[in-house]
């Protein structure tokens, strides 16, 4: 039995879909009551204990309101008490790098360290920006408004969230990935303007960009990672997706073509 946390989110929903397609038994965790799912909250230890009962492996996605490892640590405690054997954690590229006197992704690093110290089997997934982040701006794009660019001219090999989920499923179901950290990049470093131009090509119209300099509205721990990526440090490609999946990583253009309707349909 696999517990999929973040099962209503970007990566977790694809993990749940892939496990369903493969007939692997799993429990989808959400704070909301959903058919076939388990209702639990990282801030409610009793609900976590119910969620991990009789579970072998956990896909761990945390998005705490304040960047901290508290949610990961709560899940680790529940998992150890329940005899869970393996945790696959969704972390982020660059976590642990030193930049401008601080640590990039410090909360992910603290969580990774807690998992390593737990004695459980683990795999860490460290993707760069998801191709799907452009969906955050779909209302602006539908309205013909410019989309905000926090990345300046920096490049990242943005990854298709379906590839991140496919690697997660491999790591959840096959012990060969234990003890590994995967930097799950896409095939090509792209600027934000490149991504917007590719999406514009798919939609058949130009999409404007509004450059954002100040990162004041981001939580401090998140802003460090954005500044680090903005410095160009995240502009690299790895072969980790092809190595695990035995096929090339998906391109941004393919993701954009597959999600064309999300940017054109009303609503
Ligand atoms: N976006 C990127 O470009 C990017 C890049 C690299 C790494 N990451 C990492 O990816 C992670 C986010 O993954 P995602 O984008 O797939 O998530 P997401 O779409 O933001 O979804 C968040 C999920 O967390 C659940 N959740 C939130 N608070 C919870 C709580 N207190 N208890 C239980 N569940 C809770 C939500 O479920 P309910 O609302 O249904 O309860 C939802 O399923 C973050 O750790 C981020 O650092 C993101």
């Amino acid at each position: 039995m696999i517990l999929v946390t973040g099962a209503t989110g970007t990566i977790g929903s694809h993990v749940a879909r892939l496990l369903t397609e493969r007939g692997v038994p799993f429990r989808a965790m959400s704070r909301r009551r959903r058919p076939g799912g388990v209702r639990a909250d990282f801030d409610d230890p009793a609900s976590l204990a119910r969620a991990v009962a009789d579970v072998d492996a956990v896909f761990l996605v945390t998005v705490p309101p304040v960047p901290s490892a508290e949610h990961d640590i709560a899940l680790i405690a529940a998992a150890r008490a329940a005899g869970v054997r393996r945790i696959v954690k969704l972390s982020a590229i660059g976590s642990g790098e030193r930049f401008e006197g601080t640590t990039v992704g410090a909360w992910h690093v603290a969580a990774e360290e807690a998992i390593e110290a737990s004695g459980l089997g683990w795999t860490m997934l460290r993707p760069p920006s998801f191709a799907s982040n452009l969906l955050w701006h779909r209302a602006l794009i539908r309205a013909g408004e410019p989309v905000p660019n926090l990345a300046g001219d920096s490049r990242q090999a943005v990854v298709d969230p379906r590839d991140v989920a496919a690697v997660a499923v491999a790591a959840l179901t096959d012990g060969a990935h234990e003890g590994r950290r995967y930097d799950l990049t896409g095939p090509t470093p792209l600027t934000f303007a490149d991504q917007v131009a590719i999406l514009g090509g798919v939609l058949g119209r130009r999409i404007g960009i509004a450059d954002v300099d100040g990162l004041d509205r981001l939580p401090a721990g998140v802003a460090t990672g954005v500044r680090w990526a903005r410095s160009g440090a995240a502009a690299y490609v790895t072969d980790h997706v092809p190595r695990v999946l035995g096929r090339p990583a998906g391109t941004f253009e393919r993701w954009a073509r597959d999600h064309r309707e999300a940017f054109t349909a009303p609503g």
Side-chain angles (χ1 to χ4, degrees), residues 11-54:
I11 306 296
S13 60
H14 285 299
V15 169
R17 174 182 56 77
L18 290 170
L19 291 172
T20 303
E21 284 170 13
R22 290 178 200 188
V24 179
F26 73 95
R27 230 173 258 162
M29 178 173 135
S30 166
R31 288 166 297 178
R32 290 165 273 170
R33 203 178 292 285
R34 298 166 74 239
V38 55
R39 188 174 169 198
D41 189 319
F42 288 116
D43 291 316
D44 174 359
S47 73
L48 281 186
R50 285 193 296 275
V52 294
D54 303 320

Side-chain angles (χ1 to χ4, degrees), residues 6-12 29-32 40-43 61-63 71 90-92 107-108 127-130 133 136:
T8 58
T10 303
I11 306 296
M29 178 173 135
S30 166
R31 288 166 297 178
R32 290 165 273 170
D41 189 319
F42 288 116
D43 291 316
V61 179
T62 52
V63 285
H71 284 178
L90 181 55
S91 182
W107 62 285
H108 276 314
S129 290
F130 305 155
N133 289 354
W136 296 340

Side-chain angles (χ1 to χ4, degrees), residues 137-145 203 205 261-267:
H137 309 303
R138 73 182 119 177
L140 290 173
I141 292 170
R142 281 189 200 128
E145 302 282 337
L203 300 181
R205 62 188 167 80
E261 272 189 20
F263 298 94
T264 53

Side-chain angles (χ1 to χ4, degrees), residues 148-235:
N149 171 25
L150 272 64
D153 294 330
S154 67
R155 291 172 195 276
Q156 279 195 57
V158 288
V159 64
D160 188 321
R162 296 172 294 190
D163 286 349
V164 179
V167 172
V169 168
L172 286 163
T173 55
D174 181 351
H177 303 287
E178 278 190 10
R180 297 188 188 252
R181 283 190 167 72
Y182 291 127
D183 281 7
L184 301 177
T185 73
T188 318
L190 299 171
T191 63
F192 186 75
D194 291 335
Q195 295 172 57
V196 166
I198 291 168
L199 179 62
V202 167
L203 300 181
R205 62 188 167 80
R206 190 186 160 278
I207 302 167
I209 293 176
D211 286 320
V212 177
D213 290 329
L215 305 175
D216 322 340
R217 273 192 273 162
L218 295 176
V222 176
T224 307
V226 173
R227 278 203 306 278
W228 173 79
R230 215 178 152 117
S231 77

